[in-house]
Amino acid sequence: MSINRRSALALLGLGANAAALNASAAEPGGASFQHGVASGDPLSDRVIIWTRATPAAPQAKDFTVAWTVADAPDFKRVVASGQLPANAARDFTVKADVAGLKPDKDYWFRFSTGGVQSPVGRARTLAVGPVKDVALAVVSCSLYPAGYFNAYDAIAKLDRVDAVVHLGDYIYEYGGGPNDYGTAGAVKMGRLLEPKHEIMSLADYRLRHATYKSDPHLQAAHARAPWICVWDDHETANDSWLGGAENHSSDTEGDWNTRKANALRAYYEWMPLREPSAGGLAEAINRSFRFGDVAELVMVETRLLARSKQLDYAEMPMRQLDGKSVPDFTAFTAERADPSRQLLGDQQERWLAETLKASVADGCAWQILGNQVVMAQVKGPDLKAALPPAEWAAMLAGLPEAFRPRIEQMAALFAQGVPFNLDAWDGYPAARERLYAMIRAAKAQTIVLAGDSHAFWVNELHDAAGDRVAVEFGTTAVTSPGWGDFLPKQDMGKIIANQNDEVIYSHQSAKGFTLLTLTPDEARAELIAVSTITGTAYETKSLKRYRVAKQWGAGVEET
C-alpha cells in the first residue's frame, strides 16, 4: 500500500493539529511547538512525556509550559496535569515524569503555553502480570540527509505497537557538505543539515537534534507510542569508545570528555527518557523494562561506559616472511582475544547477570537484549571467492576509481577469514563469551536486538563450545547507507550468509525496521522494508518472517 504524510497524521488524530505542528505560534511573540511531542521510558505506573517550546525570540526569558494527560483522545477526563519551566538552560525542552497511571493502558497527552497548544501524543504504560502479547518496532541509524524517514512514517501508522525501541544513531555528527557521508541527494530532497559543519559544541548538538525533530515522519512516530532509546556512536562521534572516537582528534577538535559531555547533555534534553540521578554517571544509560510476564527488555550500553579502543586492520601487527613484511594474523587474533578487552565493563556485566537471573526467576518468558552492535560471529565477505572471475573484474571496473583500491584491499583481507566488523562484538570475543556465560547461567530465553550495521540480520548465536545460546535479529537503517548500497549489483547479504554459519539471513541494502511480536510461547520477527527513501510516496514490504519457539537453545524458523 502507498503511505504518505497526510494519512499518517490522520491516523494519529493529528489532522486538526497540523497547523500547530508546523506553525503553532498563534500569538505574536509567543512560543511554538515546532518539534512535536514524544513519550518514552514507560513503566507500569508512569511514563516520560516531552516537547520543546520554541520561543519566538532566541534570547527569551523563562516561561511556563502546561502539560495534560487524559485517558482518551478527546481529553474529557484528565488524569494528570502540571506545569514546568521552559528556559535556555535546557534549550527550552520540557520533560515530565507522569506518575500515578494505570498499567497496560493507553494515554493521550499534550502541552500548551501562551494560548498555543501542541500536537497530541499517545503513550502506553507497561503491563503487570499475565499478558497475551507484546509488539515492539525496532529501529536504528537515521541519517537525515540520506533520505526521507519513511520507516518512521510506516511505524506511525502501524495498527499495533506497544513501544518503539531505538538502538542508536538517532542523529549523526557528520557535516552536511557535498562530500560528507550520505549527502549525495540531500539538496534535491531538501534534506539539508543544521549546522552544516561537523558538530562538537553544545549548541551544535542541540541544533542537530532540532533539525532531526523537525521531520514530520519522526514526529509522527514519536507521537504514536512511547520510545525506549539508547545511543550508539554517532550521537557523540563515529566509533566512540571510553577514551575517544575514530572521528575525534584531540589535536584539532579539543578535549574528548568536553565533546562527549556536550553530546550527552543535548541527548538527555532532546530525548524522551529518564535522566541520571544527581551524581549519577551520564554514560550509564543501561536499564530494563518489564512487559508483564512476557518480556524483559534489557537495554545495555556498549560505547562510553567501558569499551576498549577498537582494533584497526590498518594497524595490524606485521611480521617478516621471505624478506617481506606481511600481516601477522596470529598476533592479531591473540590481541583480539585478550580477556581484558571490555565492551560492557565489570559493573554493567554484574548488573546484566543479576537482571537476567531475576527476570527468569520471576517467570518472565523472554529476555530481550537491546544492544547496539551485531553480536554474531561474521567473517568479512570473500567477494573474489564468491563471484566468477569475469563478474569480479566487471564489478571492480564499475567502481569509482577512488573506491576501487579499498575494495581490493578489503577483499584480500577478508579472504583470510577475519571479522567483518571490529567495531562490533567480533572485536571483543572474550566479552561476548562472558555474556554467553550469563545467558547460560540464568537459562535466559534471549533474543538479541542489534542496530548499527545498516543491514537486516537473522543470526543464531553459539558459544565457544558450539552450543546455541540465543537468536539475534539485527534491524537495518532508517536511511543510512551500507555495504549493499555501495555494491548494489552484488547480493552482499546472500554472500555473507553463505560464508558464515551463524548468519541465517542478511539483507545489506534494504531500509526499514523490524517488528518483534512476543507471546508466552514464541517470538516472531518481521523484517519490513520501505520501497524508497528518495521519495515521500512509498510502499512497505515484508522481506522475511521468522519464529523462535520458547525452548532453551531454540533456533529460528522461517514462516
Side-chain angles (χ1 to χ4, degrees):
M1 74 189 147
S2 181
I3 304 172
N4 56 41
R5 176 187 171 194
R6 181 173 296 175
S7 64
L9 293 176
L11 179 75
L12 286 165
L14 297 179
N17 290 319
L21 190 67
N22 294 295
S24 56
E27 294 184 359
S32 58
F33 296 96
Q34 299 176 9
H35 302 96
V37 298
S39 68
D41 276 14
L43 299 176
S44 61
D45 65 340
R46 63 180 57 218
V47 68
I48 297 288
I49 60 172
W50 174 97
T51 194
R52 195 218 190 204
T54 304
Q59 304 302 320
K61 296 180 180 178
D62 296 2
F63 55 94
T64 299
V65 174
W67 57 266
T68 306
V69 177
D71 63 3
D74 59 12
F75 282 83
K76 289 183 178 179
R77 187 164 63 182
V78 172
V79 300
S81 62
Q83 293 185 336
L84 289 168
N87 52 53
R90 287 189 60 89
D91 202 20
F92 300 97
T93 60
V94 175
K95 190 187 300 187
D97 195 348
V98 183
L101 305 178
K102 295 180 180 179
D104 198 24
K105 184 174 175 56
D106 286 329
Y107 290 93
W108 285 260
F109 63 97
R110 63 190 179 193
F111 299 84
S112 63
T113 186
V116 179
Q117 188 169 283
S118 77
V120 173
R122 180 164 67 180
R124 183 174 180 81
T125 52
L126 302 187
V128 175
V131 177
K132 179 183 177 182
D133 58 10
V134 174
L136 304 174
V138 186
V139 289
S140 176
C141 304
S142 45
L143 181 66
Y144 185 89
Y148 296 107
F149 289 164
N150 292 334
Y152 288 148
D153 189 53
I155 290 171
K157 68 182 298 294
L158 286 172
D159 293 334
R160 165 81 185 283
V161 58
D162 296 314
V164 177
V165 181
H166 200 295
L167 298 175
D169 294 345
Y170 182 96
I171 65 166
Y172 279 71
E173 86 282 13
Y174 298 136
N179 296 320
D180 285 300
Y181 172 64
T183 60
V187 172
K188 183 178 179 180
M189 291 184 288
R191 306 285 289 177
L192 301 180
L193 282 174
E194 292 293 342
K196 297 177 176 60
H197 56 263
E198 182 181 330
I199 56 176
M200 282 176 280
S201 70
L202 176 59
D204 287 345
Y205 280 100
R206 285 171 164 175
L207 183 53
R208 186 60 56 84
H209 275 280
T211 301
Y212 272 67
K213 278 198 171 71
S214 69
D215 183 275
H217 294 341
L218 179 54
Q219 289 186 23
H222 270 302
R224 173 65 179 84
W227 284 43
I228 298 172
C229 304
V230 66
W231 55 65
D232 191 27
D233 52 340
H234 290 288
E235 287 87 350
T236 49
N238 181 58
D239 286 2
S240 52
W241 57 286
L242 178 62
E246 178 276 333
N247 192 32
H248 180 82
S249 169
S250 297
D251 293 336
T252 59
E253 296 175 324
D255 177 63
W256 165 247
N257 287 324
T258 300
R259 182 179 185 178
K260 179 177 68 173
N262 291 335
L264 297 192
R265 178 173 173 179
Y267 186 88
Y268 280 116
E269 290 172 348
W270 278 85
M271 298 297 288
L273 76 167
R274 286 184 183 81
E275 301 187 17
S277 57
L281 276 176
E283 295 88 345
I285 198 175
N286 54 299
R287 61 216 194 279
S288 66
F289 302 86
R290 179 73 62 86
F291 291 79
D293 64 349
V294 168
E296 180 106 19
L297 174 62
V298 186
M299 304 292 284
V300 297
E301 202 286 337
T302 63
R303 284 291 172 189
L304 305 175
L305 269 175
R307 179 191 277 252
S308 304
K309 187 177 182 180
Q310 298 88 341
L311 298 179
D312 190 337
Y313 287 124
E315 300 172 0
M316 183 179 291
M318 306 298 285
R319 65 185 180 91
Q320 293 297 311
L321 179 65
D322 298 330
K324 297 180 180 180
S325 185
V326 298
D328 189 338
F329 289 103
T330 300
F332 166 78
T333 300
E335 183 179 6
R336 186 170 68 95
D338 186 343
S340 69
R341 290 181 53 74
Q342 294 277 8
L343 204 59
L344 299 175
D346 293 339
Q347 185 172 348
Q348 189 176 191
E349 284 183 357
R350 288 193 295 271
W351 167 83
L352 179 56
E354 292 168 1
T355 301
L356 292 175
K357 288 180 180 178
S359 180
V360 174
D362 289 346
C364 198
W366 297 91
Q367 287 70 47
I368 311 301
L369 197 62
N371 146 79
Q372 291 90 327
V373 293
V374 172
M375 192 170 290
Q377 300 180 58
V378 184
K379 296 179 296 184
D382 187 349
L383 296 176
K384 194 170 184 179
L387 301 176
E391 190 173 339
W392 166 253
M395 184 202 75
L396 290 178
L399 292 173
E401 188 172 345
F403 194 49
R404 194 177 305 142
R406 176 161 176 78
I407 292 297
E408 291 182 302
Q409 291 169 3
M410 294 304 291
L413 188 64
F414 290 156
Q416 305 299 317
V418 296
F420 190 24
N421 184 6
L422 294 175
D423 186 53
W425 283 86
D426 256 340
Y428 305 82
R432 180 169 55 196
E433 285 301 312
R434 291 195 295 271
L435 173 56
Y436 289 167
M438 296 176 209
I439 294 172
R440 284 196 311 269
K443 286 296 180 186
Q445 192 72 42
T446 304
I447 301 288
V448 175
L449 303 178
D452 181 68
S453 69
H454 311 169
F456 279 122
W457 299 87
V458 179
N459 304 322
E460 295 183 344
L461 308 180
H462 298 78
D463 62 17
D467 295 327
R468 187 165 51 207
V469 296
V471 167
E472 178 175 41
F473 294 116
T475 196
T476 192
V478 171
T479 56
S480 306
W483 271 91
D485 299 293
F486 297 128
L487 298 171
K489 294 183 179 180
Q490 278 66 46
D491 190 340
M492 290 285 291
K494 185 176 181 180
I495 292 171
I496 290 171
N498 287 342
Q499 295 179 353
N500 286 277
D501 293 339
E502 291 198 343
V503 181
I504 307 303
Y505 174 80
S506 179
H507 198 303
Q508 293 281 316
S509 60
K511 308 303 175 210
F513 64 98
T514 300
L515 184 61
L516 182 66
T517 303
L518 303 150
T519 75
D521 301 317
E522 65 178 12
R524 300 190 302 274
E526 184 177 7
L527 314 184
I528 300 175
V530 294
S531 58
T532 183
I533 59 171
T534 59
T536 54
Y538 68 94
E539 296 178 347
T540 60
K541 178 183 179 181
S542 179
L543 294 180
K544 291 281 186 177
R545 294 183 178 91
Y546 289 90
R547 172 186 179 273
V548 184
K550 189 186 179 302
Q551 178 182 348
W552 167 250
V556 296
E557 304 172 10
E558 187 174 355
T559 61

